């Protein structure tokens, strides 16, 4: 992204235009306000009044933030560098390709598309326009994830990954189960798979460095609503080298966000991977070369804590990071 | 078990006879010495010298512990109340039924038998002789497990269980993979499934109160050695009401001992269920009615710690128990 500032000055913030006032946009707007490299330049909704309400509710400066009463008007705003698009999944192809065609970079809410062909169309539009594409799977940009990546890539610490399990579920209330866009076949038709299983699949692919499995077999008896939208499901994934992964996702069970990764040399656990329990720090645990030392265990564990100054779900622009790591050799769990 | 002590005196300790000097017997002998209600009365091995060495190595009083040079002699010892039988699985039917026929109660090492028919034969022999049968799956008798049982049974805390995942694996060394009885088809023919998967399956059945699944489907591509003994495998279990469970077990990956249980109201995690990290305390975590409270999580979690005076793998006779529980309302993870 270009900047008109001279080289000895900080670059101009990236100017986001928020296309649609979905509830997830509240969180992203907060992150954009907190991140030093980002600014919310404009909000577009189906009415200017809705855009104004969103801006006022989310701490945006209504005097300087441009408020657009149509999505098209936001796309035509010359002072928007990046369109953040949190609309329902079924609308992604139309508006993502439109944004790219107007020369806007794209931050696209997840799930990015209803099928691979739709995502290919979006990516092709971005390529053709020479704009950047980023999906808004926030935990991928959390500093903890970078630290976990280092460990997962460390063949001495983790070794060859053999098993990855991931669970992401939450207990939706009755209103959600009746009325939310995520249970509607014409809006977010992927249901729990798109909203929650997306994260599990991403976690699994992240863990194996995006090597695709040779076989994926759905768990039996997924739960669907009357419209056929998935409310709970899961699958097992198999790789050519014998690695396996399993995930479960659901709108019907208590909020749970787990990755468990088992390698030949080490084991990683994280139980809040999508949204950390705490805003300013996040933990995971790694045990390496664990062994029995009767009557209990010995091994080398590090319980990694990453502390940072930005919001927990800080969006693509990471804030300043401080790090606090503790190594606990010996018995590998500290209360 | 009968006692000749008058009612106002403590009952006579249960007198164990250890049949075979397997390495697991060292741990059980230690527990028998530490538990106030138990005593090691005799050791039987294929030679009296081996029995003597075992007794000396494990802190038994060689002057008072009777040492038998054959298994039969131990079974004929009138001062043995209970036979603890740690022999390889393929020998269980023969020696377990022989012990029952001599009127000895039976503590049988796991896996109890190579197939259900063999276990039925052992149970029938115990029934016919009027003796007690207990399998030696130690974590079932840990005080933490009783506390977890309370929580799992609490429909307000956990609700209906929908997903249970369990992993038990350890990284065996080359000597184990070549020579251990657990990779030999004529000794412990169930391999990793009997040695490690046994615990996962027990954990899953324990979690669902022993309701049997309607369908069990093995994961693809289990790893076997040249003799066909399983070194790594797993399965998915399905119940009629839609519950699912998955387990993975292996001799080839880093020591990992997980139960993850997700219900409609709560989630339980334990990462050292088979053998606790610490001898004198053990933890698990339960999160109940967890919810999002942007930008992080809220909910009610209790991280339960149970502290006790006995050995971590204390065998069937629990030692005195002290309890330390902490409730952490609000943000549900405490470092």
């Amino acid at each position: 992204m270009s900047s008109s500032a001279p080289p000895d000055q900080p670059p101009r913030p990236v100017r986001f235009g928020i296309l649609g006032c979905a509830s997830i946009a509240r969180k992203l707007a907060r992150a954009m306000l907190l991140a030093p490299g980002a600014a919310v330049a404009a909000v577009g909704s189906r009415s200017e009044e809705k855009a104004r309400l969103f801006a006022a509710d989310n701490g945006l400066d209504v005097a300087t933030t441009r408020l657009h009463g149509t999505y098209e008007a936001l796309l035509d705003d010359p002072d928007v560098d990046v369109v953040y698009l949190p609309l329902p999944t079924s609308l992604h192809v139309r508006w993502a390709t439109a944004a790219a065609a107007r020369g806007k970079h794209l931050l696209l809410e997840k799930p990015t598309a209803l099928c691979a062909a739709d995502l290919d169309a979006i990516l092709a539009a971005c390529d053709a326009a020479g704009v950047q594409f980023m999906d808004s799977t926030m935990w991928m940009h959390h500093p903890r994830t970078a630290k976990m990546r280092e460990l997962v890539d460390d063949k001495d610490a983790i070794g060859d990954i053999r098993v990855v399990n991931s669970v992401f579920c939450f207990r939706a209330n009755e209103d959600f189960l009746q009325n939310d866009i995520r249970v509607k076949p014409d809006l977010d038709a992927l249901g729990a798979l798109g909203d929650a299983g997306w994260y599990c699949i991403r976690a699994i692919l992240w863990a194996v460095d995006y090597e695709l499995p040779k076989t994926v077999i759905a768990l039996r008896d997924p739960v669907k609503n009357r419209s056929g939208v998935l409310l709970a499901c899961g699958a097992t994934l198999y790789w050519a080298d014998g690695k396996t992964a399993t995930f479960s996702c659901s709108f019907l069970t208590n909020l749970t966000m787990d990755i468990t990764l088992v390698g030949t040399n080490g084991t990683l656990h994280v139980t809040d991977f999508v949204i950390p329990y705490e805003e300013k720090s996040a933990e995971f645990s790694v045990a390496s070369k664990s062994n029995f030392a009767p009557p209990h265990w010995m091994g080398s564990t590090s319980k990694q804590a990453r502390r940072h100054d930005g919001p927990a779900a800080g969006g693509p622009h990471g804030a300043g990071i401080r790090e606090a790591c503790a190594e606990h050799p010996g018995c590998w769990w500290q209360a």
Side-chain angles (χ1 to χ4, degrees), chain A residues 198-277:
Chain A
W198 168 277
Y199 289 100
C200 301
I201 296 166
R202 184 67 165 260
I204 291 166
L205 292 176
W206 169 85
V208 303
D209 213 9
Y210 304 100
E211 180 188 351
L212 291 180
K214 65 170 182 173
T215 307
V216 178
I217 301 177
L219 298 189
R220 293 181 169 206
D221 306 328
V223 182
K224 297 179 181 182
N225 68 10
R226 288 183 191 176
S227 306
V229 175
L230 285 163
L231 303 180
C233 65
T236 304
L237 296 79
Y238 297 91
W239 281 260
D241 68 355
K243 276 194 297 287
T244 61
T246 302
F247 77 86
S248 297
C249 63
S250 176
F251 289 153
L252 306 174
T253 47
N254 189 59
L255 183 59
T256 305
M257 302 179 167
D258 287 5
I259 304 171
T260 303
L261 183 157
V262 186
T264 48
N265 286 352
T267 307
L268 180 149
H269 286 108
V270 55
T271 57
D272 60 349
F273 82 100
V274 179
I275 301 175
Y277 298 116

Side-chain angles (χ1 to χ4, degrees), chain A residues 176-198:
Chain A
F176 179 109
L177 292 175
Q178 294 304 319
N179 302 312
D180 196 89
I181 60 170
R182 289 166 282 186
V183 298
K184 301 293 184 186
D186 54 338
L187 295 172
D188 273 337
L190 296 174
L193 182 62
D195 195 50
W198 168 277

Side-chain angles (χ1 to χ4, degrees), chain A residues 20-329:
Chain A
C21 300
S23 68
I24 183 66
R26 307 172 71 86
K27 186 178 285 186
L28 271 281
R30 179 171 181 271
M32 290 167 190
L33 287 178
L34 287 167
V40 180
V43 176
S45 188
R46 282 169 291 180
S47 76
E48 198 178 315
E49 183 53 25
K50 283 185 70 179
R52 188 181 316 280
L53 274 173
F54 179 88
D57 280 354
N58 290 283
L60 306 180
D61 184 341
V62 288
T64 60
T65 307
R66 285 178 305 288
L67 306 170
H68 298 292
T70 66
Y71 297 159
E72 287 85 354
L74 184 125
L75 296 187
D76 287 333
D77 186 330
D79 291 327
V80 165
D81 301 314
V82 184
V83 169
Y84 166 57
L85 205 160
L87 298 176
T89 312
S90 60
L91 302 177
H92 282 190
V93 175
R94 174 177 172 192
W95 292 104
T97 56
R102 305 294 212 293
K104 307 301 189 191
H105 302 289
L106 186 63
L107 176 62
L108 183 58
E109 198 45 74
K110 42 66 52 185
T112 51
L114 293 172
C115 61
D118 283 359
L119 179 60
D120 285 344
I122 293 168
L123 295 175
C126 290
D127 274 350
V131 297
Q132 291 188 38
F133 171 88
M134 181 179 263
D135 83 81
S136 186
T137 304
M138 293 186 283
W139 75 274
M140 293 300 301
H141 308 286
H142 193 288
R144 173 174 63 181
T145 305
K147 186 68 184 171
M148 293 197 298
R149 174 87 269 156
E150 283 175 32
L151 270 294
V152 170
D153 287 345
D154 181 340
K155 291 296 176 197
D156 187 60
I158 298 292
D160 293 326
I161 294 169
R162 307 312 295 160
V163 172
V164 186
N165 293 328
S166 182
V167 178
F168 182 20
C169 51
F170 58 88
R171 176 84 179 268
N173 62 25
E174 271 309 302
D175 180 53
F176 179 109
L177 292 175
Q178 294 304 319
N179 302 312
D180 196 89
I181 60 170
R182 289 166 282 186
V183 298
K184 301 293 184 186
D186 54 338
L187 295 172
D188 273 337
L190 296 174
L193 182 62
D195 195 50
W198 168 277
Y199 289 100
C200 301
I201 296 166
R202 184 67 165 260
I204 291 166
L205 292 176
W206 169 85
V208 303
D209 213 9
Y210 304 100
E211 180 188 351
L212 291 180
K214 65 170 182 173
T215 307
V216 178
I217 301 177
L219 298 189
R220 293 181 169 206
D221 306 328
V223 182
K224 297 179 181 182
N225 68 10
R226 288 183 191 176
S227 306
V229 175
L230 285 163
L231 303 180
C233 65
T236 304
L237 296 79
Y238 297 91
W239 281 260
D241 68 355
K243 276 194 297 287
T244 61
T246 302
F247 77 86
S248 297
C249 63
S250 176
F251 289 153
L252 306 174
T253 47
N254 189 59
L255 183 59
T256 305
M257 302 179 167
D258 287 5
I259 304 171
T260 303
L261 183 157
V262 186
T264 48
N265 286 352
T267 307
L268 180 149
H269 286 108
V270 55
T271 57
D272 60 349
F273 82 100
V274 179
I275 301 175
Y277 298 116
E278 310 254 8
E279 181 166 27
K280 296 203 180 279
S281 69
E283 290 193 355
F284 63 99
S285 70
V286 172
S288 191
K289 299 172 187 170
S290 314
N291 215 332
F292 299 108
H296 50 83
W297 294 35
M298 297 297 277
S300 163
T301 295
S302 55
K303 197 168 183 179
Q304 306 278 353
R306 290 195 68 86
R307 190 165 290 281
H308 63 106
D309 296 328
H317 296 273
I321 295 160
R322 284 181 283 119
E323 181 176 345
C325 291
E327 297 281 336
H328 300 301

